[in-house]
């Protein structure tokens, strides 16, 4: 953990209350600001029933060790807590989840007690506003077992400096995507947003309400990006080593209900994967997994 002020919370904050605050517009014409403190919660004991339900909704098999994306779910309330605080002019409810990188340093059992630390770094200009990285870490008895970087785009935010408009490299780049032939077809039901909200705790109404989705420019509710991420990881999980790094880029939202394609290919130690339109022509999510 970097040398920063620590905001030690007694427990994970409730997401419903945080999102109610996050939906309120910020009136601030100055440069974008984000908190400089690290939010910390110690002694997290995951709910085994919620984990089992999460596995079912996302397509994972029940096993002793938890999926990497589940560990991201555990830290997500601290993302909203930091960006919803008085030190932030950026609200997560209006931001776009652009990409995600997670490293699983060792298998994590569902019964282990975890300490979480989340901070925001690298606020930078983008041609559409500003980008920032939310850095999450989970430890067991001071051992780092998982970490993640969630990159968000805040449209319209103002930050001075040179533009950061670089695309991810390799198989997670949307530029130059070539049509693939899906290996699997997944049918996403209209109530998927409600199912994932239940297991993740993410109450963002654009995933469950047609009116809220339309307010943000979508014809129908959209699937949670982290559900798509998890569902693709679940398809790959039996083929992966015990420790790995996964990078994902969210190319476009998936309207609910929908039918999507899934594709993956191994090149040496690296897996390239994607969730696409049924014909494989356009990507919704691009991912790369390596030891």
């Amino acid at each position: 953990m970097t040398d920063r002020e620590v905001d030690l919370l007694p427990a994970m904050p409730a997401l419903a209350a945080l999102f109610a605050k996050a939906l309120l517009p910020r009136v601030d014409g100055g440069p974008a600001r984000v908190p400089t403190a690290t939010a910390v919660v110690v002694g997290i004991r995951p709910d085994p029933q919620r984990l089992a339900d999460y596995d079912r909704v996302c397509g994972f098999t029940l096993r002793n060790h938890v999926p990497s994306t589940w560990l991201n779910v555990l830290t997500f309330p601290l993302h909203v807590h930091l960006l919803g605080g008085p030190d932030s002019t950026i609200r997560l409810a209006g931001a776009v989840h652009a990409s995600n990188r997670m490293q699983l340093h060792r298998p994590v059992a569902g019964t282990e007690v975890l300490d979480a630390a989340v901070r925001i770094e690298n606020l930078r200009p983008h041609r559409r506003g500003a980008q920032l990285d939310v850095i999450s870490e989970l430890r067991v008895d001071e051992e780092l077992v998982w970490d993640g970087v969630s990159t968000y785009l805040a449209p319209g935010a103002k930050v001075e400096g040179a533009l950061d408009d670089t695309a991810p490299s390799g198989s997670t780049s949307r530029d130059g995507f070539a049509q693939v032939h899906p290996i699997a077809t997944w049918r996403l039901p209209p109530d998927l947003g409600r199912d994932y909200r239940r297991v993740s705790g993410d109450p963002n109404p654009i995933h469950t309400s047609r009116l809220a989705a339309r307010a943000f420019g979508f014809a129908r509710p959209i699937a949670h990006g982290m559900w798509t991420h998890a569902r693709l990881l679940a398809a790959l999980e039996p083929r992966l080593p015990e420790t790995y790094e996964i990078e994902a880029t969210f190319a476009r939202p998936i309207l609910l209900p929908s039918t999507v394609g899934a594709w993956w290919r191994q090149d040496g130690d690296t897996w390239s994967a994607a969730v696409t339109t049924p014909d494989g022509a356009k990507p919704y999510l691009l991912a790369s997994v390596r030891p």
Side-chain angles (χ1 to χ4, degrees), residues 83-246:
L83 289 174
D87 295 336
S88 176
T89 60
I90 294 173
R91 291 294 193 232
L92 193 57
V96 177
H97 195 177
S99 63
N100 199 84
R101 179 194 58 77
M102 296 181 288
Q103 293 186 88
L104 184 64
H105 297 282
R106 70 156 171 83
V108 177
T111 55
E112 292 192 84
V113 180
L114 303 164
D115 299 335
V118 176
R119 65 187 185 274
I120 298 175
E121 291 185 352
N122 200 18
L123 179 65
R124 56 206 184 269
H126 185 273
R127 61 183 173 80
R128 292 176 53 196
Q131 281 191 324
L132 56 92
D133 297 328
V134 180
I135 316 295
S136 305
E137 298 173 345
L138 286 170
R139 287 177 165 79
V140 176
D141 295 330
E142 299 186 1
E143 175 195 6
L144 181 66
V145 296
W146 175 92
D147 67 82
V149 180
S150 294
T151 298
Y152 294 99
L153 168 65
K158 301 175 183 177
V159 180
E160 295 182 356
L163 286 179
D164 176 12
D165 198 20
T166 56
S169 59
S171 62
T172 63
S173 173
R174 287 171 287 184
D175 295 338
F177 174 79
Q179 182 169 356
V180 298
H181 299 287
I183 295 170
T185 299
W186 300 332
R187 291 175 175 82
L188 281 53
D191 58 353
L192 176 62
R194 292 181 174 83
D195 284 345
Y196 189 77
R197 178 181 65 184
R198 184 184 69 253
V199 299
S200 69
D202 182 347
N204 192 332
I206 66 172
H207 305 294
T208 56
S209 166
R210 186 178 291 266
L211 288 177
R214 285 178 174 172
F216 282 89
F218 304 110
R220 304 192 302 274
I222 62 173
H224 289 77
M226 286 307 298
W227 177 87
T228 311
H229 193 338
R231 183 65 187 89
L232 187 59
L233 183 63
L236 290 170
E237 188 182 41
R239 303 166 175 85
L240 299 181
E242 288 190 339
T243 61
Y244 56 84
E245 177 183 65
I246 179 168

